[in-house]
Amino acid sequence: MIGFKRDSKKDEEDGGGNPFQNLEKTTVLQEARTFNETPVNPRKCTQILTKILYILNQGEILGTVEATDTFFAMTKLFQSHDVILRRMVYLGIKELAPIAKDLFIVTSSLTTDMTGRENLYRAAAIRALCSITDGNTLQQSIERYMKQAIVDRNAAVSSAALVSSLHMTRFAGEVVKRWVNEAQEAINTDSIMVQYHALGVLYHIRKTDRLAVTKLVAKLTKSTMKSPYALCMLIRITCRLIEEDDVGTNSKLFEFVQSCLRHKSEMVIYEAAHAIVNMKKTGARELAPAVSVLQLFCSSSKPTLRFAAVRTLNKVAMTHPAAVTACNLDLESLITDANRSVATLAITTLLKTGAESSVDRLMKQISSFVSEISDEFKIVVVKAIRALCLKFPRKHSVLMNFLSAMLRDEGGLEYKASIADTIITIIEENPEAKETGLAHLCEFIEDCEHTSLAVRILHLLGKEGPRTKQPSRYIRFIYNRVILENAPVRAAAVSALAQFGALCADLLPNVKVLLARCQMDTDDEVRDRATYYSVILNCNDAVLNNRFIVENTHLSLPTLEKSLHQYTMQPSETPFDARTVPVAAISPSEEARLAAAEEISTKPKTAIATMTREETYAEKLRNIPQLAALGSPFHSSPAVDLTESETEYLVKCVKHVYERHLVFQFICTNTLNDQLLENVHVHLDPLPEGFVVAANIPCQRLPYGEAQSCFTVLTFPDVLAISVGSFGAVMKFSTKDCDPATGLPDSDDSYDDEYMLEDLDVSVADQMQKVAKANFAASWDEAGDENELEDVFALTSMQTLDEAVKNIIQFLGMQPCERSDRVQEGKSSHTLLLSGVFRGNHDVLVRAKLALSEGVTMQLAVRCSDPEVSELVTNSVG
Amino acid sequence: MGLLTKLMAILGFNRREVNVLVVGLNNSGKSTLVNQLKPDEQRATEIVPTVGFNVEKFNNKNVGFTAFDMAGQGRYRELWEHHYKDCQGIIFVVDSSDGLRLVVARDELEALLDHQHIRSKRHLPILVFANKMDVRGALSAVQVSASLGLEKISNKPWHICASNAMTGEGLQEGIEWLTNQIRQSVMLEENS
């Protein structure tokens, strides 16, 4: 007896695990034969069904035959009236529905169950039935029953029918549409759940019909619905309507949403507040009640409500910071919330809305809990601080101290990088903060285990350090790196040292000594750089310094790689000419980064494409033999639409500029599915004077829906002054009628046709590549005033300096230097510095002095190695 | 067969559960017939064409019948065979007023008898209902039996009776025969 007890105890301990752990598919299916026994043993069969469901959910895959056999065995279980077993059978049918065949055999049995007296069966039977029907059987046999079920008095049945019909809209939308009246009736029931589901079905049926949705909403907003879920959904639908119709905030719809703010249920109140806050066109007046509701939620005892409220407020803070300031007190009390997510959101919201005076206090509070939160939240906080710095430049010292303290803490690369980013942004935006920021960064690299960050900071030191008041203090930090760090950091440090040598004459001897020491380094790259820089610095030539140390080369790296590869493949006597490689466009990533800095978001940044537009095009052009002969394109413009967006044929044009040639790439799309276009080409007429069509590469076949390209190659006129102009264009092709389904032509008959396109313009910007100059003044002096052209223009159409600057940059297609594209507020004059490379590798520098006086007056000075280019640039502006 | 057996029967001790399959062409009256066999309070008021099958239960002489009422439409007929394996009796319903399709019914019956699961069951009773006998111009049971070729079935017990499923006429006779046959065949099986 004692032994037995012990055994049973042991069993209990062992049996604590999963009883279905070691199931095998074949054994379970074998066991399913029990289903055929008469009379049915419900207990046993239920267990076997459970096993089958278990293995299916574990990812076991049944073959069609196996599944069908099991399914037919299961059908025998309909003879038992055991409730539990029957419900398991429904589940089994639903699970096997996608695999087994001939499922419809249980249709009648299920319809009997769903119309029967046993309420426990009905809802489940409806769900099972809908999972096995297809559009066909649906129509003939069960439609009537479904209609009845939707208006059934039993809430579970009605809900099951509604939800199932929602699922069925996927394959039998037309049939479900006929159940509108029943759904309409169901919406008037008392049951909370049914009302919600009925509204879902009704909206789904009508959502393609705007008028019907408007009517639905108008009707429902008048009647008061009991279900909070349905009301939430109605609010969402209403908001969509408001956004689509673009009605003002005075409309009935908006009034409804506002009235929901006074609802009993917290869910509805929140939904309404959330909706109002997220509407695009809400003003401060409409926002106020919503925000005050959220404010109430902030002090709620439920953490979910607090979280929801803070999260929404956080979003509002981006668009309407003023509205949120009212809640600042409540938010501040949330900083100490036990829930870290709520606290972090509260902090970031406060940082966005906070006044200048409260910054100090906030920073104190943040530092108290910053060590407790995870890296991701820390990044969020850092981003918020960055926004704050941009907003209150005067507070930089407090923030900078805080950031440097955070830098010293433990943290991952991403966290550290985001802090470094922030400091760098502050340095760039705020000249006052430069010195302290650089000092903090210097301190940071003293003990930085992330090579990539150290390299970045060293590069920044090289760029900014020489222009500070006391450049000498940075030398020590940089040279420490040379002594202590690994090879990539040493190499970066050497480059940074050279910058100091080139720009600060008094430090030059010291730098020379240091570089000479670096030539003893163990690493090749470091030695090479040191040798290179010391040779240049020893020449004592300012022009050389400027060109090879201060300015970076802007060759497009993928193209350079391709060209070098080609060069090594074909041995030739002539040395490789780097000038044949086009310069790289300034990638928009920098601007994107700055834009991202302004809005704080927890979303990850989208990956920046590694290839620029030019390089991807160049890759494609190289594959076309006729164009490969022209070399690499110098500049490719973005695609321009030559047709309206909803016409028979869509044509886009990309202009590729080569040194002496101009290639138009016409990307054509055929939107007619009953036509096959052949021999598509674009005829240019009229041509501006001097342009000659050199070649025409037609597109042989243009089937429906595909985008194909045809090309026209032109030679530029020899005289630069007439290299801009406007082209007329006509697309010519022969059409064949074809079968829309297969795309095969009906017959060989074809007829020629043509299609007018919009005119094409070639401007200066198309022939210009953006290049940044780090030291504009040096380059300006270097270019000399021999080829300078100067002129004064009155830009009467411009109202502000900002607008003028943007227009000039866009018109000339050049890169603004030294941040001169940003006009300081409240100033009446501004100097814009632009640089670029003109086709044929002519450096172009432009200095535009702008003054605001009833329109904008501009004094434009252009310097270029080629006088013709200067003339072209000046003329084109006028 | 003594007092004890009778007593057992009265007390319901040797109550049996059997599965019967109800097959036949569409519109021959299968569902109506099964409906008629059910107790009064469970009867459906309206009969619609069956899709797949229906399960119904009824009792006769202490035998609990579970009738699998199969759909008769052409495309569902091949599903019948899934139920052949474990049935103890077959009810084949013929519309005796539909002379034209008797050949089709005969084909289906032959295919059924030829199926491996049916052939192997030597004592499987087959009950044929010549339904709709009230319709004017309906064939008699003998005529139906002749046109179905029932006399050729030698290895299984079979029985034909004329019926009217709407009123229940003739059903009881057929079911009683079936009950007896099933009792016997089950007893034979138990003895062997």
Side-chain angles (χ1 to χ4, degrees):
Chain A
M1 190 63 199
I2 294 169
F4 172 72
K5 257 192 180 167
R6 200 173 285 152
D7 275 355
S8 68
K9 206 172 181 185
K10 208 174 170 190
D11 276 351
E12 262 169 34
E13 277 166 8
D14 288 344
N18 182 355
F20 298 132
Q21 211 153 37
N22 301 314
L23 287 184
E24 259 190 62
K25 184 172 84 173
T26 37
T27 9
V28 175
L29 294 183
Q30 199 81 14
E31 278 178 23
R33 288 188 182 169
T34 328
F35 297 164
N36 289 327
E37 277 171 12
T38 13
V40 176
N41 180 348
R43 260 182 73 89
K44 207 169 160 192
C45 292
T46 312
Q47 184 136 40
I48 296 167
L49 268 174
T50 317
K51 285 182 188 170
I52 294 176
L53 291 180
Y54 181 82
I55 58 166
L56 278 175
N57 279 319
Q58 289 295 307
E60 197 79 61
I61 295 161
L62 295 191
T64 316
V65 181
E66 287 169 326
T68 314
D69 281 347
T70 321
F71 169 70
F72 273 102
M74 224 186 274
T75 60
K76 307 282 161 53
L77 299 178
F78 271 103
Q79 54 182 301
S80 163
H81 284 292
D82 188 273
V83 177
I84 300 168
L85 177 62
R86 183 66 67 86
R87 292 174 67 110
M88 283 305 279
V89 171
Y90 297 141
L91 287 181
I93 291 172
K94 268 202 284 188
E95 286 297 320
L96 290 176
I99 336 169
K101 283 198 300 195
D102 293 328
L103 282 155
F104 58 84
I105 192 166
V106 290
T107 310
S108 276
S109 304
L110 289 173
T111 32
T112 328
D113 281 350
M114 79 184 249
T115 51
R117 247 160 282 166
E118 181 69 81
N119 273 335
L120 280 172
Y121 291 164
R122 295 175 65 196
I126 290 171
R127 284 190 281 268
L129 185 59
C130 292
S131 67
I132 62 161
T133 42
D134 49 41
N136 255 333
T137 38
L138 184 65
Q139 277 176 21
Q140 19 166 291
S141 51
I142 67 165
E143 189 176 350
R144 194 161 50 106
Y145 297 118
M146 284 300 286
K147 280 186 177 178
Q148 277 170 14
I150 289 176
V151 292
D152 198 278
R153 253 176 306 156
N154 187 317
V157 174
S158 178
S159 265
L162 285 165
V163 174
S164 301
S165 39
L166 198 57
H167 285 302
M168 282 194 293
T169 42
R170 260 180 294 135
F171 53 87
E174 285 306 308
V175 184
V176 177
K177 265 186 194 160
R178 295 203 291 263
W179 304 346
V180 167
N181 288 332
E182 282 73 20
Q184 194 94 55
E185 202 167 312
I187 221 169
N188 296 326
T189 56
D190 288 339
S191 162
I192 289 171
M193 176 171 62
V194 175
Q195 214 169 38
Y196 173 56
H197 290 152
L199 179 61
V201 172
L202 266 186
Y203 177 64
H204 198 81
I205 294 173
R206 292 180 174 173
K207 72 178 170 193
T208 44
D209 183 357
R210 271 272 283 289
L211 199 67
V213 176
T214 321
K215 266 192 206 158
L216 176 74
V217 171
K219 204 180 114 198
L220 290 178
T221 46
K222 263 178 240 142
S223 68
T224 45
M225 278 196 288
K226 229 178 130 191
S227 158
Y229 305 102
L231 258 179
C232 286
M233 180 151 181
L234 187 61
I235 291 173
R236 285 188 191 176
I237 300 173
T238 315
C239 287
R240 210 164 297 153
L241 267 187
I242 293 176
E243 294 286 314
E244 275 172 15
D245 291 354
D246 221 14
V247 289
T249 46
N250 300 324
S251 69
K252 283 251 163 58
L253 295 176
F254 191 80
E255 264 169 40
F256 163 70
V257 178
Q258 246 172 349
S259 72
C260 285
L261 284 176
R262 294 184 290 277
H263 196 266
K264 288 196 298 289
S265 161
E266 281 162 338
M267 189 177 8
V268 178
I269 301 175
Y270 173 71
E271 188 65 44
H274 182 256
I276 291 177
V277 156
N278 279 342
M279 265 180 228
K280 281 188 205 112
K281 281 196 174 170
T282 39
R285 196 169 59 82
E286 292 84 15
L287 266 180
V291 171
S292 65
V293 161
L294 291 174
Q295 189 175 6
L296 271 183
F297 280 175
C298 278
S299 44
S300 157
S301 59
K302 295 179 192 158
T304 39
L305 273 185
R306 289 202 303 270
F307 181 73
V310 177
R311 206 174 141 204
T312 317
L313 284 175
N314 192 11
K315 269 195 206 140
V316 197
M318 279 197 255
T319 42
H320 307 280
V324 186
T325 36
C327 312
N328 274 1
L329 266 179
D330 300 83
L331 286 174
E332 271 176 41
S333 61
L334 283 183
I335 292 178
T336 48
D337 197 289
N339 187 326
R340 280 284 150 234
S341 311
V342 175
T344 315
L345 277 171
I347 279 277
T348 46
T349 317
L350 278 177
L351 288 179
K352 274 179 228 167
T353 59
E356 195 157 355
S357 54
S358 63
V359 170
D360 292 301
R361 197 159 38 88
L362 274 180
M363 292 329 269
K364 222 172 262 166
Q365 265 167 326
I366 297 175
S367 50
S368 67
F369 80 90
V370 81
S371 52
E372 293 164 36
I373 54 177
S374 68
D375 265 15
E376 287 113 73
F377 275 127
K378 281 186 193 164
I379 292 173
V380 175
V381 173
V382 169
K383 281 184 183 159
I385 294 177
R386 160 146 64 179
L388 203 61
C389 290
L390 299 182
K391 211 161 118 199
F392 304 121
R394 271 187 294 164
K395 283 286 167 195
H396 67 84
S397 61
V398 181
L399 298 169
M400 203 66 107
N401 278 333
F402 180 73
L403 285 174
S404 69
M406 280 173 98
L407 259 184
R408 267 182 239 122
D409 288 343
E410 288 294 304
L413 171 63
E414 209 178 324
Y415 168 52
K416 289 285 167 74
S418 77
I419 299 178
D421 263 345
T422 308
I423 297 184
I424 292 171
T425 325
I426 298 171
I427 292 173
E428 282 168 356
E429 296 299 318
N430 190 350
E432 285 170 45
K434 198 190 258 182
E435 301 262 336
T436 39
L438 286 179
H440 285 309
L441 288 177
C442 284
E443 202 179 308
F444 172 56
I445 54 170
E446 287 285 292
D447 182 23
C448 169
E449 70 262 45
H450 308 293
T451 306
S452 57
L453 260 184
V455 168
R456 240 182 96 189
I457 292 172
L458 281 171
H459 180 77
L460 181 83
L461 281 180
K463 284 268 165 256
E464 302 287 346
R467 293 186 195 136
T468 52
K469 271 179 232 140
Q470 249 191 318
S472 55
R473 57 192 287 211
Y474 300 108
I475 300 271
R476 187 176 62 83
F477 288 107
I478 297 173
Y479 192 66
N480 277 349
R481 297 305 101 218
V482 179
I483 302 168
L484 297 169
E485 292 284 353
N486 55 7
V489 180
R490 289 204 301 271
V494 167
S495 301
L497 273 181
Q499 300 276 349
F500 281 89
L503 290 171
C504 311
D506 50 335
L507 290 177
L508 184 61
N510 303 345
V511 170
K512 273 185 193 163
V513 174
L514 293 177
L515 283 179
R517 275 193 213 157
C518 292
Q519 287 178 32
M520 317 287 198
D521 198 279
T522 47
D523 187 74
D524 289 348
E525 171 73 20
V526 181
R527 274 202 312 276
D528 286 352
R529 284 198 191 189
T531 320
Y532 169 78
Y533 288 126
S534 38
V535 168
I536 294 174
L537 288 177
N538 281 328
C539 294
N540 272 334
D541 183 347
V543 177
L544 268 186
N545 282 350
N546 190 30
R547 193 172 290 167
F548 293 106
I549 299 181
V550 180
E551 299 293 348
N552 288 323
T553 46
H554 294 287
L555 294 182
S556 132
L557 289 180
T559 329
L560 177 64
E561 189 189 340
K562 287 264 161 47
S563 315
L564 283 172
H565 181 66
Q566 269 174 0
Y567 180 74
T568 48
M569 295 300 275
Q570 308 155 335
S572 72
E573 295 294 302
T574 52
F576 180 76
D577 186 4
R579 284 160 58 95
T580 57
V581 180
V583 286
I586 305 296
S587 67
S589 64
E590 193 186 6
E591 283 136 51
R593 193 172 60 79
L594 287 172
E598 260 134 56
E599 79 172 62
I600 304 155
S601 61
T602 45
K603 280 184 235 149
K605 267 186 247 165
T606 47
I608 296 158
T610 46
M611 298 258 272
T612 61
R613 192 178 65 233
E614 267 89 357
E615 281 141 15
T616 41
Y617 279 131
E619 187 68 45
K620 282 181 200 149
L621 293 178
R622 209 171 289 123
N623 293 333
I624 300 163
Q626 292 97 317
L627 299 178
L630 300 177
S632 300
F634 172 76
H635 179 246
S636 298
S637 67
V640 191
D641 283 327
L642 296 185
T643 53
E644 300 287 322
S645 59
E646 275 150 18
T647 48
E648 301 94 307
Y649 314 110
L650 300 181
V651 182
K652 287 179 175 182
C653 177
V654 180
K655 291 167 271 188
H656 303 286
V657 174
Y658 290 75
E659 191 170 339
R660 304 204 48 78
H661 295 88
L662 173 66
V663 174
F664 289 121
Q665 177 182 9
F666 298 98
I667 304 168
C668 313
T669 315
N670 175 9
T671 60
L672 299 176
N673 60 0
D674 56 348
Q675 280 193 3
L676 174 69
L677 307 188
E678 290 189 332
N679 199 16
V680 185
H681 63 277
V682 175
H683 183 72
L684 295 174
D685 191 49
L687 280 177
E689 196 194 333
F691 281 94
V692 183
V693 176
N696 228 332
I697 305 168
C699 165
Q700 296 304 340
R701 257 173 70 87
L702 182 62
Y704 161 69
E706 279 179 38
Q708 302 265 12
S709 296
C710 63
F711 299 89
T712 304
V713 184
L714 298 146
T715 32
F716 274 114
D718 292 332
V719 188
L720 267 183
I722 54 171
S723 71
V724 288
S726 168
F727 297 77
V730 184
M731 181 162 80
K732 295 192 170 181
F733 48 85
S734 57
T735 318
K736 275 183 186 170
D737 290 331
C738 72
D739 182 10
T742 57
L744 295 173
D746 295 335
S747 64
D748 282 341
D749 298 337
S750 68
Y751 50 92
D752 290 339
D753 203 351
E754 50 180 57
Y755 191 79
M756 276 302 282
L757 302 176
E758 281 169 32
D759 283 358
L760 271 170
D761 288 313
V762 173
S763 63
V764 176
D766 290 326
Q767 306 177 45
M768 191 75 79
Q769 182 70 282
K770 290 179 174 184
V771 167
K773 291 267 188 270
N775 191 345
F776 187 84
S779 310
W780 181 257
D781 291 339
E782 186 194 323
D785 51 5
E786 303 92 64
N787 298 320
E788 182 173 314
L789 271 182
E790 210 175 277
D791 215 336
V792 178
F793 301 90
L795 311 173
T796 44
S797 61
M798 315 286 178
Q799 291 309 316
T800 61
L801 288 176
D802 220 18
E803 191 188 346
V805 165
K806 284 208 181 86
N807 273 304
I808 295 166
I809 293 172
Q810 202 193 356
F811 185 80
L812 291 177
M814 296 168 78
Q815 175 71 22
C817 298
E818 301 185 350
R819 289 174 203 291
S820 57
D821 55 332
R822 268 180 239 175
V823 183
Q824 296 217 317
E825 270 176 54
K827 284 205 171 174
S828 60
S829 65
H830 182 70
T831 308
L832 175 66
L833 307 171
L834 296 170
S835 77
V837 175
F838 194 76
R839 140 180 98 81
N841 272 345
H842 300 292
D843 275 320
V844 185
L845 299 170
V846 169
R847 189 180 63 199
K849 287 182 177 162
L850 302 166
L852 191 66
S853 56
E854 293 177 34
V856 177
T857 320
M858 173 171 76
Q859 185 200 28
L860 188 77
V862 182
R863 286 188 180 181
C864 178
S865 43
D866 188 343
E868 266 193 276
V869 176
S870 312
E871 203 179 314
L872 176 69
V873 172
T874 11
N875 287 347
S876 67
V877 172
Chain B
M1 230 18 202
L3 186 68
L4 190 67
T5 337
K6 279 196 174 156
L7 194 68
M8 293 264 280
I10 290 163
L11 293 176
F13 277 122
N14 59 350
R15 184 187 157 80
R16 299 201 177 277
E17 291 287 340
V18 290
N19 286 345
V20 293
L21 207 54
V22 186
V23 293
L25 300 191
N26 51 324
N27 199 30
S28 56
K30 294 176 296 301
S31 300
T32 319
L33 193 144
V34 174
N35 193 41
Q36 193 66 37
L37 288 171
K38 288 199 288 185
D40 272 340
E41 64 270 19
Q42 289 175 20
R43 278 184 202 160
T45 48
E46 192 187 3
I47 305 291
V48 291
T50 310
V51 183
F53 72 98
N54 265 324
V55 191
E56 307 291 1
K57 289 192 168 185
F58 57 89
N59 285 314
N60 188 275
K61 283 191 179 170
N62 212 11
V63 175
F65 284 90
T66 303
F68 286 85
D69 168 21
M70 306 298 293
Q73 290 171 38
R75 56 193 160 139
Y76 301 143
R77 280 179 211 152
E78 64 207 47
L79 300 172
W80 295 354
E81 63 186 37
H82 286 282
H83 292 256
Y84 290 167
K85 203 174 153 193
D86 45 278
C87 65
Q88 281 90 31
I90 289 182
I91 299 175
F92 195 88
V93 186
V94 184
D95 180 356
S96 54
S97 66
D98 186 3
L100 266 180
R101 291 207 302 164
L102 267 180
V103 265
V104 185
R106 181 182 179 149
D107 278 350
E108 291 296 342
L109 184 61
E110 275 168 4
L112 181 149
L113 291 170
D114 210 27
H115 194 272
Q116 51 162 340
H117 286 146
I118 300 286
R119 248 190 319 187
S120 59
K121 290 184 184 168
R122 286 196 40 228
H123 303 290
L124 186 73
I126 297 181
L127 171 61
V128 182
F129 277 116
N131 203 12
K132 306 197 187 179
M133 66 183 212
D134 55 315
V135 177
R136 182 188 288 271
L139 302 175
S140 72
V142 181
Q143 280 168 308
V144 171
S145 149
S147 28
L148 288 180
L150 291 180
E151 63 274 14
K152 275 188 262 166
I153 306 174
S154 53
N155 58 347
K156 288 184 177 61
W158 59 269
H159 182 76
I160 184 163
C161 58
S163 67
N164 176 0
M166 307 284 273
T167 59
E169 221 178 319
L171 295 189
Q172 210 50 41
E173 179 206 336
I175 295 301
E176 264 167 35
W177 176 85
L178 189 65
T179 317
N180 289 330
Q181 286 299 319
I182 286 174
R183 273 183 190 286
Q184 279 173 25
S185 69
V186 172
M187 233 180 273
L188 279 174
E189 244 168 57
E190 277 169 8
N191 291 343
S192 62

